[in-house]
DNA sequence: TTGTATGCGTTATCAG
DNA sequence: CTGATAACGCATACAA
């Protein structure tokens, strides 16, 4: 247990530096000694001591994850674990380790970042965030610590990030609904101070505009949260709209599965099965709705994978040309889209 | 950026060793120099270089997580992220870092363990496992690497572990059903080569036995997986049982929410609302069932928290007296338990 | 109470 | 192609 490079050196009759060279694939090493050294490494079960290596290299081959959400969110949102899985996959492929720290409170995020960076515990950081004016981003930029962000940051200039094309996601699904004959489509969105909310709404609106349509103000909701309660309330407002000149929506696009689930509840309560509903995030809840909820999958694992890829790339090579990745979303069709095709 | 202990030493007019002592709360340091050193530390924003410290201490203050499950499982089971959150919380409180590695294939688990241990990347390991004859456990024992396990291992002797009392969990809920007048209770369990499965079944059986009852073989299922399909099939078999002398179950205890969800499906398909159903794990799916599914919560965050606590305890102190922790489960009551009270 | 010297295990520089 | 030797930044035994 715990043999050092010196043990290997002695066992193979060479010096420590030679062993080091063999292990780092140094070009000018004779095949013969290489084999002898490798044999000794094998025999002794030698593995470089990471702390010693880190110290000598001043690099840790470790990336740090800063997770920032309420505890509830973590548990409910498969996004986090999905992204962490993608990160782990890429990191292992490049011989990197991954550290993480949950930060229940916003203040702690920065503390964690400071801890990771100033103690040289990690070579780079992945931020799970899309918060406006993120303190961590400011700090990391100032420290010149390499990092990548999951979720397009406000000021994306000169920073590595990965995100979905939220505009296209709702654009496409809206376009699909239009192609299927829907002409009156509602929208339930998120708080409009978030990038994602705006992008999703814009995609919806644009798809309609291309067909020369637009949604009635009474059919558009952008002032609530990603909750069932909000989704339920919005759906009911649409169903209960008193204006006789306003046709009822035959389809509703939402910005989150929870909103969509609330909308489905409202439809069930009103005994209606003639309104198509589509969610966002494709949580595991979707499958268990009645009807099963069609939803836009964000490919969390890929988001994580590419966030790690961009970061490690930046760590290992000169400034890369690639500074962001757009991960495609894909619509998972389920029964909630199967409604009678509206008459044209 | 990146000041060293020497910078602090110079700035405060003392030697490096004095700075080191101040920072590690060495007893014999004059209050005056302590303050001067601390001031310099503050002014320079000095933080010890972790690699250097690790090397000198031959300890890393980090613990490694070995996650072993199929990618799907991760995403669907809030257990993992919950436990990881609990681990992170305790680790941060003790100034430990946490590394994790997802291992899609069983073989890779051992590789990860070997990597973590032999490179001295971590001081100890937490295993997410309950697999029989676990290779990692064997290896870690042989290497004398401290570790703790989430899920009681087969041979628990001399191993740190944390788990729920699965026996008591089903015992209690079964007892509750009995108290409410149920006399014919079915059981849908997991594969009987798993400890958890056996324990949950035993708890169920024992609670009945205490009341002088036992479940009919036709009402007990222990040969399938934790899936809806299995739960659905088992429930249907109970409902369709041809034996006229066998009363229908008025309640069903399951070993997993997915099984319970399948059972609820079967009941809906048969238009029955007179059978109580209780799930296990209290996944977020439970709330969205119809009726909402009562379920036994395993307190994943606490499992992780205590796994980390036991491990760090073992790392920092002499052999601890405490070698395992039983985390209580708690029944979350929901509508699926509200059925007509059976006549006695 | 404080300073000096040494070692932790590797890598890199410089000779040879 | 290979071997000494000096860092890397910190902690500690030993002196003072």
């Amino acid at each position: 247990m715990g043999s050092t490079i010196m043990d290997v050196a002695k066992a193979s009759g060479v010096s420590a530096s030679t062993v080091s060279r063999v292990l780092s694939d140094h070009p000018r090493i004779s095949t013969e000694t290489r084999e002898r050294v490798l044999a000794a490494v094998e025999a002794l079960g030698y593995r470089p001591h990471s702390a010693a290596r880190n110290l000598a290299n001043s690099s840790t081959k470790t990336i740090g994850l800063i997770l920032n959400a309420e505890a509830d969110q973590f548990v409910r949102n498969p996004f986090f674990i999905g992204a962490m899985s993608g990160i782990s996959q890429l990191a292992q492929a490049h011989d990197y380790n991954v550290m993480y720290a949950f930060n229940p409170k916003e203040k702690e995020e920065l503390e964690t970042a400071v801890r990771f960076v100033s103690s040289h515990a990690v070579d780079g950081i992945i931020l799970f965030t899309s918060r406006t004016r993120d303190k961590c981003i400011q700090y990391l930029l100032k420290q010149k610590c390499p990092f990548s962000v999951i979720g397009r940051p406000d000021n994306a200039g000169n920073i590595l990030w990965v995100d979905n094309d939220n505009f296209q996601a709702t654009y496409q699904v809206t376009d699909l609904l239009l192609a299927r004959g829907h002409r009156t489509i509602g929208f339930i969105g998120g708080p409009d101070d978030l990038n994602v909310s705006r992008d999703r709404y814009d995609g919806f609106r644009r798809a309609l505009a291309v067909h020369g349509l637009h949604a009635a103000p009474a059919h558009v909701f952008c002032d609530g949260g990603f909750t069932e309660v909000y989704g339920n309330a919005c759906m009911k407002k649409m169903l209960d709209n008193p204006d006789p000149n306003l046709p009822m929506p035959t389809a509703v696009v939402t910005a989150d599965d929870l909103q969509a689930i609330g909308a489905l509840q409202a439809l069930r309560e009103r005994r209606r099965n003639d309104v198509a509903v589509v969610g966002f995030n494709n949580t595991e809840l979707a499958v268990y709705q009645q009807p099963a909820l069609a939803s836009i999958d964000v490919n969390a694992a890929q988001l994580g994978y590419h966030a790690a890829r961009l970061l490690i790339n930046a760590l290992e090579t000169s400034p890369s040309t690639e500074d962001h990745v757009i991960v495609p979303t894909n619509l998972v069709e389920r029964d909630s889209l199967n409604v009678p095709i509206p008459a044209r």
Side-chain angles (χ1 to χ4, degrees), chain A residues 257-280:
Chain A
D257 276 3
L258 289 181
Q259 295 174 331
I261 288 171
L264 288 180
Q265 282 168 356
L267 289 168
R268 278 197 305 273
E269 290 171 35
R270 295 284 193 273
R271 302 260 183 281
R272 305 208 33 167
N273 57 5
D274 55 349
V275 180
V277 174
V278 57
F280 214 117

Side-chain angles (χ1 to χ4, degrees), chain A residues 5 16-29 34 37-38 41 46 48 53 57 61:
Chain A
I5 202 170
S17 15
T18 300
V19 176
S20 175
R21 282 190 268 255
V22 168
L23 260 36
S24 49
D25 278 330
H26 190 95
R28 287 193 287 254
I29 283 281
R34 156 172 293 121
V37 167
L38 254 24
V41 165
Y46 166 76
R53 174 175 270 191
N57 287 333
K61 294 280 241 174

Side-chain angles (χ1 to χ4, degrees), chain A residues 153-229:
Chain A
D154 282 337
N155 187 343
N158 218 14
I159 89 182
L160 303 177
W161 58 275
V162 29
D163 202 350
N164 300 115
D165 186 340
N166 285 296
F167 175 90
Q168 178 182 278
T170 48
Y171 183 96
Q172 277 198 336
V173 72
T174 306
D175 197 55
L176 177 72
L177 291 168
L178 288 165
R180 292 190 180 169
H182 293 276
R183 284 298 171 271
T184 311
I185 307 180
F187 182 81
I188 304 177
D192 67 358
D193 58 330
L194 293 182
N195 286 332
V196 290
S197 300
R198 279 196 302 269
D199 291 349
R200 289 174 191 177
Y201 176 52
D202 290 345
F204 164 77
R205 204 171 37 174
R206 182 87 189 132
L208 286 175
V210 164
H211 288 250
L213 301 170
H214 74 276
H219 291 165
V220 172
F221 300 86
C222 292
D223 57 348
F226 299 114
T227 67
E228 315 131 66
V229 172

Side-chain angles (χ1 to χ4, degrees), chain A residues 24 46 48 66 78 133 135 143-145 153 173 190 192 200 219-220 233 241 244 258 270 299 322 324 326 339 341 343:
Chain A
S24 49
Y46 166 76
I66 298 187
R133 278 198 304 272
K135 297 266 190 195
Q143 302 295 316
K144 299 196 197 310
C145 170
V173 72
D192 67 358
R200 289 174 191 177
H219 291 165
V220 172
N241 191 291
L258 289 181
R270 295 284 193 273
N299 288 311
E322 191 183 15
H324 72 272
I326 300 294
V339 297
I341 301 294

